[in-house]
Amino acid sequence: MEGILLECENNNLKLTGYDLDLGITKTIQVETVEPGAIVLNARLFSDILRKMPDEQITITSDQKLLTRIEGIDTEFNILGMSRDEYPDMPAVDDSQGFTAPDYLLKNMINQTLFAISVNDQTPVLTGSLFDLNSGKMSVVSVDGYRVALRKENIASDTDVSFVVPGKTLAEITKLLSDQEEAMTRVSVGSRHIIFEINGYTVISRLLEGEYLDYKSAIPEGHTTRIVADTRTVVQSIERTSIIINDRNKSPVKLVTEGSTINLTCESTIGKVSDRFEATVEGDPIRIAFNNKYMIDALKHTECDQIYIDINGPLSPIKIIPTEGDDFLFLVLPVRLKNEN
Amino acid sequence: MEGILLECENNNLKLTGYDLDLGITKTIQVETVEPGAIVLNARLFSDILRKMPDEQITITSDQKLLTRIEGIDTEFNILGMSRDEYPDMPAVDDSQGFTAPDYLLKNMINQTLFAISVNDQTPVLTGSLFDLNSGKMSVVSVDGYRVALRKENIASDTDVSFVVPGKTLAEITKLLSDQEEAMTRVSVGSRHIIFEINGYTVISRLLEGEYLDYKSAIPEGHTTRIVADTRTVVQSIERTSIIINDRNKSPVKLVTEGSTINLTCESTIGKVSDRFEATVEGDPIRIAFNNKYMIDALKHTECDQIYIDINGPLSPIKIIPTEGDDFLFLVLPVRLKNEN
């Protein structure tokens, strides 16, 4: 967002940033001497405002777009751009929508956003799928190697499904409040979505295309269940990860031996073995995984204790809460050579 | 420093990092089962130590240089390098030396290091000049556009002068303690220097060559003296700097008008004017300077109030304390076009 549109009339100043994918507007009370509009460089304008020591400033633009930003002892003169050159925001057909608590939206986005695809080959996977059905909302991210799924009850009759770009979600979590009573209105059109958050209006295009059928990837049941302390598992994987780098993406191998979980890794740098105690139910297991995907998932559980459910060495590793079903993370295993 | 040399005997482990310019050694107490030496990758070894949860670890190297680093539940096997491939540290002819309080050395280095040259054309200027004479020590950095000079009394009979590379000084300030009683021994040879800091021994080559004759650059007296609040001047320059960037290095112009200091700047981005009140003694002045050099100097005064002494628009701007003579900063002015 290089330019910020300032529109002023009736003692209101409407600020708009818009880059064709994502637009944010906020209206503030000002004293209007003369109505008008100007586009200013966003970075320059915010630098100026941040460094101005004054409580009150005056902004004046002339017909040549020369804009004066004035405090008591400081005066900036910069050249603006015409509002005519600023793109129009799309109109949203507010056909469907719902209202949700800020803290819940923020949490659901934060716990899933990390797993979106960074690969542009399947654009729809660079966003998270929101699915609202019979008062239950799920937010899902999938990148082909892992799934992050977060579920909550939302008081709403609307049944709707849409995919929001990751960039939009990252901006939204900055605006969403942690206060328990704060609520955000979400209006869903066919091609765009509007979030009304704390006086800000965020309009974003939606991602089009068929979302990956993540449900069919979730294995039912398990042949092995590890009941583990999340921090212990993360630290153990982090230790085995020391000899992994961008050039050698060696997998971490997990082998159970009674109630001992052995993690090993071997790369061109060296070998490491680490072990910790956990409760192991069911069959003993040998399985390998990508260290980063596993740590990402475990850290985003925000839980002290988790179940790691496994259905054999070639089936996705499932991480779920020990109570309830608020979240589910899947990590695809890495197939080991010479593995039975 | 890619490799770290571990040398173990008599229950002492000596750790050495050395890159031909700068070497640091530290000896710690260990339990020696068998004496020996090995070179390990520094980053890998420190990553391992940081992530090992154990209070005690065992390090074993075999004849093939395979090295095992072992805790209770964790074991790393990495390949080391032979000590024979590690460069020898130079012997230092400890001909001259002195002892100085840590906090003083740290402060003198920090207040001058920013002004060393980053240009390799005159290598000797990429370090700071230490000059100890009759119990007075000065530390000086010069880069051709500015001078930073810091003076203190040091209880020592040694008269010595040497130039320490900026890289060494940056490492040393990390090791120097803030505790008032901590003292550092400095041994000065003809080509190398040793700092003994808090159990660490730092050995560095010295920079050779004729240091710039900064003394002749310091103007005597002044025709204009501005008595100013340091923070006020910095903030005013920072505001005028908003429209300066790497591509347009527009100077900041300072003009006195009675007790008002007017700062202005003009670039392709726009124009800015800012003003503040100060005490102005002597002639009114118009002078221009590089915003960054001036802010650097002002911030490193670590003083609430300073004198800005000026001797005409083409003479260096001198920043000195309002009391004492602990520091002196010079900033060369920028010659303005069409200036009388």
Side-chain angles (χ1 to χ4, degrees):
Chain A
M1 299 190 203
E2 284 220 338
I4 187 159
L5 170 63
L6 288 77
E7 293 171 294
C8 184
E9 62 180 346
N10 300 333
N11 293 341
N12 280 322
L13 174 65
K14 185 176 172 195
L15 300 158
T16 303
Y18 181 49
D19 71 357
L20 300 177
D21 284 336
L22 176 62
I24 302 181
T25 67
K26 168 94 177 171
T27 301
I28 57 171
Q29 294 265 305
V30 296
E31 188 188 322
T32 310
V33 178
E34 208 175 326
I38 188 85
V39 177
L40 298 178
N41 178 287
R43 178 180 294 267
L44 180 62
F45 186 49
S46 65
D47 277 353
I48 290 172
L49 294 185
R50 203 171 20 244
K51 298 263 184 183
M52 293 277 274
D54 308 280
E55 289 193 10
Q56 247 194 329
I57 56 158
T58 307
I59 302 173
T60 326
S61 288
D62 68 14
Q63 287 190 321
K64 288 176 175 165
L65 307 171
L66 199 66
T67 303
R68 192 163 72 234
I69 303 161
E70 206 173 349
I72 294 166
D73 289 318
T74 312
E75 182 185 313
F76 286 87
N77 282 279
I78 58 175
L79 198 62
M81 287 159 285
S82 166
R83 101 184 274 171
D84 301 341
E85 289 172 39
Y86 208 76
D88 286 326
M89 300 261 266
V92 171
D93 44 336
D94 184 8
S95 46
Q96 282 169 305
F98 59 94
T99 300
D102 276 31
Y103 78 92
L104 210 61
L105 277 176
K106 191 172 181 171
N107 180 266
M108 295 180 85
I109 294 169
N110 284 338
Q111 277 190 277
T112 50
L113 186 57
F114 71 94
I116 63 169
S117 171
V118 290
N119 183 333
D120 281 345
Q121 277 193 310
T122 318
V124 73
L125 298 186
T126 61
S128 296
L129 171 69
F130 287 67
D131 196 16
L132 185 55
N133 196 296
S134 311
K136 288 183 193 298
M137 183 156 87
S138 60
V139 181
V140 189
S141 299
V142 178
D143 73 354
Y145 300 98
R146 51 183 170 169
V147 174
L149 167 62
R150 182 79 174 75
K151 287 192 283 190
E152 282 289 347
N153 294 321
I154 297 271
S156 167
D157 299 333
T158 312
D159 288 356
V160 65
S161 181
F162 52 91
V163 181
V164 186
K167 193 177 102 181
T168 301
L169 295 172
E171 288 299 324
I172 282 174
T173 56
K174 292 182 205 159
L175 296 176
L176 286 166
S177 152
D178 289 314
Q179 286 173 8
E180 227 170 87
E181 62 277 20
M183 299 291 279
T184 279
R185 174 76 196 161
V186 184
S187 308
V188 187
S190 58
R191 301 191 55 192
H192 292 90
I193 191 167
I194 293 177
F195 297 87
E196 279 160 87
I197 310 170
N198 187 27
Y200 292 87
T201 303
V202 180
I203 183 163
S204 167
R205 72 183 175 92
L206 292 170
L207 291 174
E208 288 166 43
E210 193 70 29
Y211 204 74
L212 209 81
D213 178 19
Y214 66 93
K215 283 179 187 162
S216 70
I218 303 173
E220 283 187 37
H222 56 267
T223 53
T224 306
R225 164 166 284 180
I226 299 169
V227 192
D229 179 59
T230 316
R231 226 173 107 86
T232 302
V233 190
V234 168
Q235 288 175 342
S236 185
I237 301 174
E238 280 177 345
R239 281 193 291 274
T240 56
S241 303
I242 292 175
I243 60 159
I244 305 173
N245 59 34
D246 286 343
R247 271 168 304 180
N248 75 66
K249 294 191 177 165
S250 307
V252 172
K253 200 159 120 186
L254 180 154
V255 178
T256 62
E257 196 180 300
S259 64
T260 303
I261 314 292
N262 294 288
L263 296 186
T264 53
C265 187
E266 196 169 341
S267 79
T268 51
I269 294 169
K271 282 195 289 191
V272 54
S273 75
D274 200 71
R275 60 170 181 253
F276 59 90
E277 293 297 305
T279 305
V280 180
E281 298 165 3
D283 302 341
I285 185 80
R286 298 162 63 86
I287 196 165
F289 52 82
N290 173 297
N291 62 314
K292 187 183 169 301
Y293 293 161
M294 199 68 174
I295 290 174
D296 270 356
L298 289 165
K299 284 193 171 169
H300 284 91
T301 61
E302 296 175 12
C303 261
D304 293 341
Q305 277 242 327
I306 37 104
Y307 288 147
I308 300 175
D309 282 358
I310 305 174
N311 245 330
L314 302 177
S315 180
I317 300 165
K318 185 160 72 175
I319 299 162
I320 53 173
T322 52
E323 281 171 40
D325 64 345
D326 283 356
F327 64 78
L328 183 151
F329 297 104
L330 288 189
V331 175
L332 274 196
V334 176
R335 186 188 286 264
L336 290 168
K337 286 170 197 155
N338 312 317
E339 198 67 48
N340 303 327
Chain B
M1 298 192 202
E2 283 220 338
I4 186 158
L5 171 62
L6 288 77
E7 293 170 294
C8 182
E9 63 181 345
N10 299 329
N11 292 341
N12 280 322
L13 174 66
K14 185 177 171 194
L15 300 158
T16 303
Y18 181 48
D19 71 356
L20 301 178
D21 284 336
L22 175 63
I24 302 181
T25 69
K26 167 91 176 175
T27 301
I28 58 170
Q29 294 264 307
V30 297
E31 188 186 325
T32 310
V33 178
E34 208 176 326
I38 188 83
V39 178
L40 298 178
N41 179 286
R43 177 180 296 267
L44 181 61
F45 186 49
S46 66
D47 277 353
I48 289 172
L49 295 184
R50 205 174 14 245
K51 299 264 183 182
M52 293 278 273
D54 309 280
E55 290 194 9
Q56 249 193 329
I57 57 159
T58 307
I59 303 173
T60 326
S61 289
D62 69 13
Q63 287 189 319
K64 288 177 176 164
L65 307 171
L66 199 65
T67 303
R68 190 164 72 234
I69 303 162
E70 207 174 346
I72 295 167
D73 289 318
T74 312
E75 181 185 314
F76 286 87
N77 283 279
I78 58 174
L79 198 62
M81 288 158 284
S82 166
R83 100 185 276 172
D84 301 341
E85 289 172 38
Y86 208 76
D88 286 327
M89 299 260 267
V92 172
D93 44 335
D94 183 7
S95 47
Q96 283 168 303
F98 59 94
T99 301
D102 276 30
Y103 78 92
L104 209 62
L105 277 176
K106 191 172 182 172
N107 179 267
M108 294 180 85
I109 294 168
N110 284 338
Q111 277 190 278
T112 50
L113 187 58
F114 71 94
I116 63 169
S117 172
V118 290
N119 183 332
D120 280 345
Q121 277 193 311
T122 318
V124 72
L125 298 187
T126 63
S128 296
L129 171 68
F130 287 67
D131 197 14
L132 184 56
N133 195 295
S134 311
K136 287 183 190 303
M137 184 155 89
S138 59
V139 181
V140 190
S141 299
V142 178
D143 74 354
Y145 300 99
R146 51 185 171 166
V147 174
L149 166 63
R150 183 78 174 75
K151 287 191 284 188
E152 281 290 346
N153 295 320
I154 298 270
S156 167
D157 298 333
T158 313
D159 287 357
V160 65
S161 182
F162 52 90
V163 182
V164 186
K167 193 179 102 181
T168 302
L169 295 173
E171 287 300 324
I172 283 175
T173 56
K174 291 183 206 159
L175 297 175
L176 287 166
S177 151
D178 288 315
Q179 285 172 9
E180 229 171 85
E181 62 277 20
M183 299 291 280
T184 280
R185 174 76 195 161
V186 185
S187 307
V188 187
S190 58
R191 300 191 55 192
H192 292 90
I193 190 167
I194 293 178
F195 296 87
E196 280 161 86
I197 309 169
N198 188 28
Y200 292 87
T201 303
V202 180
I203 183 163
S204 167
R205 72 182 174 92
L206 293 171
L207 292 175
E208 287 166 43
E210 193 71 29
Y211 204 76
L212 209 82
D213 177 19
Y214 66 92
K215 283 180 188 162
S216 69
I218 304 173
E220 284 187 36
H222 55 266
T223 51
T224 306
R225 163 165 286 178
I226 299 170
V227 193
D229 180 58
T230 317
R231 226 174 107 86
T232 303
V233 189
V234 168
Q235 289 176 342
S236 184
I237 300 174
E238 280 177 347
R239 280 194 290 275
T240 56
S241 303
I242 292 173
I243 60 160
I244 304 173
N245 60 33
D246 285 345
R247 271 168 303 181
N248 75 65
K249 294 193 175 162
S250 308
V252 172
K253 200 159 119 186
L254 179 155
V255 178
T256 63
E257 197 181 299
S259 64
T260 303
I261 314 291
N262 293 289
L263 295 186
T264 53
C265 188
E266 196 170 340
S267 79
T268 50
I269 294 168
K271 281 194 291 189
V272 52
S273 74
D274 199 72
R275 62 171 179 251
F276 60 90
E277 293 297 305
T279 305
V280 180
E281 298 165 6
D283 302 341
I285 185 80
R286 300 163 62 87
I287 195 165
F289 53 81
N290 174 297
N291 63 315
K292 186 180 169 306
Y293 293 160
M294 198 70 174
I295 289 174
D296 271 355
L298 289 164
K299 284 193 170 168
H300 285 90
T301 61
E302 296 176 13
C303 262
D304 292 340
Q305 277 243 325
I306 36 104
Y307 288 147
I308 301 174
D309 283 358
I310 304 173
N311 245 328
L314 302 178
S315 180
I317 300 165
K318 185 160 73 178
I319 299 161
I320 53 174
T322 52
E323 279 169 42
D325 64 347
D326 284 357
F327 64 78
L328 182 151
F329 297 105
L330 288 189
V331 174
L332 275 196
V334 176
R335 187 190 286 265
L336 289 169
K337 285 169 197 156
N338 311 319
E339 197 67 46
N340 302 327

